[in-house]
Amino acid sequence: MQPLTGVVKDYAWGSPTAIPNLLGRPSDGSVQAEYWLGTHAQGPAVLDAEHTTLDAWLRTHPDELGEATRERFGDRLPFLLKVLAADAPLSLQVHPTAEDAAAGFERENAAGIPLDAPERSFRDASSKPELLVALSPFEALSGFRNPTRTLELFEGLGAPADMLNLVVGPLRHRANHEVALAETFLDCLTPADERGDILVEVVAAAARHMDDPGEVGRFARLAVLLDEHYPGDPSLLAALLLNHVTLYPGDGLYTAPGTLHAYLSGMGIEIMANSDNVLRGGLTPKHIDPAALASCVNFEAIAAPLVTPIADGDAIWHYPTPDPQFQLWRVEPALALPVRLPGFERARILLVVQGDVEARTFDGATLRLTQGQACFIGADESVQLAGAALAFVASSGV
C-alpha cells in the first residue's frame, strides 16, 4: 500500500478549476481535462515512496498484480483510472472491439504508419470499453436514438422540409433502422456543398426553439451548444442522432466498444481498459477516417446504457460491467463503520474524492488519505478503510 500521484492532461475541452479543486492545488487558469492513475505509457502515475513510475515498479514486482490478473493479461495493469472534467464537448468518437482493433492495428502497421502519426487510427491491438460515474451533473451523448424519434425531433424544429430531407431522409424511407442510421450518419461526415446550408438552417431553427418545453427544447439547445463550440462542422448533424443523457452524482454510464458517444460537460470518475484506441467521427479538428469508423460503429438503435450501482456490503456499491479489464466500486465509509475494501487478490487503486480516511492493512500498516489523494494496493493486501469520505476503488475484472 503506497501513495500514488497521477498525471494531469491539459486537453482543450477541460476545466480550469475542477481538477485543481479536487487535488487541493491552486488553479493557474489553464485547462485541466483528465487526471490519470495507472500505467499508461503516455502518463504513468508515480509511487511517491519509491520515486518511480507504477509501470516500472510493477515490472520488478509483478506478483503485486495478482495471479488471476497475470494469467489473463500478463505482467501489466489492464485498466486506467481517471478523473475527467469537461467544460466543453469532446469529439464524437468510438472505440473498436478487440477483433476490429487487432485487424486495424495490423493493417496500419503493414502500411508503415508510425504509432504517433496524427492519421493513425489504431494505436494498439486492444479493445477499450469504459465506464463513467458522475461526480457532478454530467451531460453525454451515447448510442443511437430510435430513428423514428430522431425524425420527430428534427421535424419539431421546423426547418425547411426539403432541406431537412437531405439529412434525415433515410430515417423516413428506410425500413431497416440500422441501414437508415448508417446511411444518415455517414452522409453527415461526407463533405457536400449543400451541407453547410442545411446546417445553418437546422441551427437557426433550433435557436428559435431553445425555450420550448420537453424534448424538442432540449434537442434544440443541444444543437445550439454544439454549434457554439464547433461552428460549421457538419458532423453536428450526426451528433444529433444520439441519445442525450443527464447523469447525476453516483450515476454510471457504460460505453461498450462500437458505441458512438461524446461527453458534453461535467466531472466524473472514468475507468477503462488500458488502451489508446479512439476513432473520431466529428466535432474535432483531428483525423477522421470514415471507412475505419464505419467498420467499427454499432448502428443498432439502443437506449443509453446506464449502470445502476449494486450494494456490495456496508457502504460499498459495485458498478457491474462485463469487462475482464476492470471493476469499479464506490466506497463511503462513516466514522463509526470501518469498511473492508473489495478486490482482494488483485491490484487496486484507491482514490479519495471527498473527506479523509485511514487505510489500514491486516499487518497494521496505515496510510492517511485526504481529498484528491490516491494509493496503490497490492494483490496480497487486505485493507480496511475508516473515516468519513467518498472514495473509489478500481481493480481488474477477472
Side-chain angles (χ1 to χ4, degrees):
M1 184 172 64
Q2 303 184 57
L4 189 68
T5 298
V7 175
V8 171
K9 296 293 184 175
D10 58 354
Y11 308 133
W13 45 263
S15 163
T17 58
I19 289 177
N21 287 346
L22 174 70
L23 300 179
R25 301 173 182 174
S27 171
D28 62 6
S30 62
V31 295
Q32 297 187 17
E34 295 181 346
Y35 183 65
W36 290 16
L37 290 162
T39 61
H40 196 286
Q42 294 185 4
V46 173
L47 286 168
D48 299 350
E50 300 285 342
H51 304 291
T52 187
T53 59
L54 180 58
D55 58 330
W57 187 82
L58 285 172
R59 282 195 290 271
T60 58
H61 300 79
D63 289 348
E64 299 293 345
L65 289 164
E67 183 178 352
T69 300
R70 295 181 69 192
E71 287 179 357
R72 182 67 182 266
F73 298 106
D75 292 344
R76 68 183 188 92
L77 196 70
F79 65 87
L80 174 62
L81 182 66
K82 296 181 180 180
V83 179
L84 183 146
D87 268 7
L90 281 67
S91 61
L92 199 59
Q93 59 188 262
V94 71
H95 308 304
T97 64
E99 294 77 11
D100 288 337
F105 186 65
E106 181 178 355
R107 183 170 63 249
E108 292 188 337
N109 283 346
I113 303 174
L115 284 176
D116 59 353
E119 68 273 20
R120 182 96 190 195
S121 295
F122 300 90
R123 301 184 186 277
D124 55 59
S126 301
S127 63
K128 189 185 175 185
E130 60 189 34
L131 167 71
L132 183 132
V133 176
L135 293 177
S136 72
F138 197 97
E139 301 286 325
L141 304 176
S142 177
F144 287 100
R145 186 191 300 108
N146 183 291
T148 301
R149 184 57 186 146
T150 293
L151 182 60
E152 293 171 350
L153 290 171
F154 269 105
E155 291 175 338
L157 298 179
D162 56 340
M163 299 191 74
L164 200 56
N165 198 53
L166 293 173
V167 178
V168 296
L171 303 185
R172 180 179 292 111
H173 302 302
R174 300 291 188 196
N176 185 304
H177 283 182
E178 291 187 37
V179 171
L181 287 168
E183 185 175 335
T184 303
F185 172 72
L186 294 173
D187 192 47
C188 289
L189 301 187
T190 304
D193 293 339
E194 68 271 15
R195 194 76 64 236
D197 294 337
I198 296 170
L199 182 60
V200 169
E201 290 288 349
V202 169
V203 173
R208 295 191 292 270
H209 289 269
M210 290 180 63
D211 294 329
D212 285 10
E215 283 191 75
V216 171
R218 190 168 187 244
F219 187 70
R221 290 189 290 274
L222 173 62
V224 172
L225 170 73
L226 295 177
D227 185 66
E228 288 174 350
H229 289 282
Y230 301 100
D233 189 332
S235 64
L236 181 156
L237 300 171
L240 294 177
L241 303 174
L242 304 186
N243 296 299
H244 182 188
V245 297
T246 300
L247 307 177
Y248 296 97
D251 292 344
L253 177 68
Y254 176 65
T255 301
T259 301
L260 194 68
H261 64 286
Y263 298 147
L264 302 176
S265 64
M267 187 175 188
I269 296 294
E270 190 178 31
I271 188 167
M272 61 186 62
N274 194 13
S275 167
D276 196 29
N277 280 327
V278 179
L279 289 90
R280 293 175 175 85
L283 307 181
T284 177
K286 295 182 179 179
H287 174 66
I288 297 174
D289 184 343
L293 192 73
S295 70
C296 294
V297 170
N298 175 9
F299 288 102
E300 180 184 4
I302 58 171
L306 302 179
V307 180
T308 301
I310 299 171
D312 190 12
D314 293 331
I316 301 176
W317 290 266
H318 176 230
Y319 290 84
T321 66
D323 307 290
Q325 295 98 327
F326 60 79
Q327 282 195 87
L328 185 71
W329 293 268
R330 187 179 84 241
V331 183
E332 299 187 36
L335 289 173
L337 184 67
V339 175
R340 183 74 62 187
L341 289 188
F344 181 62
E345 297 185 337
R346 285 164 286 174
R348 286 150 289 169
I349 291 176
L350 168 67
L351 171 65
V352 178
V353 298
Q354 289 179 14
D356 59 88
V357 296
E358 182 181 79
R360 180 183 296 273
T361 65
F362 182 76
D363 60 7
T366 62
L367 181 63
R368 194 80 181 177
L369 299 172
T370 63
Q371 178 180 304
Q373 294 183 327
C375 71
F376 173 82
I377 301 170
D380 61 348
E381 290 185 306
S382 177
V383 174
Q384 190 175 61
L385 214 60
L390 169 61
F392 288 85
V393 178
S395 80
S396 76
V398 295

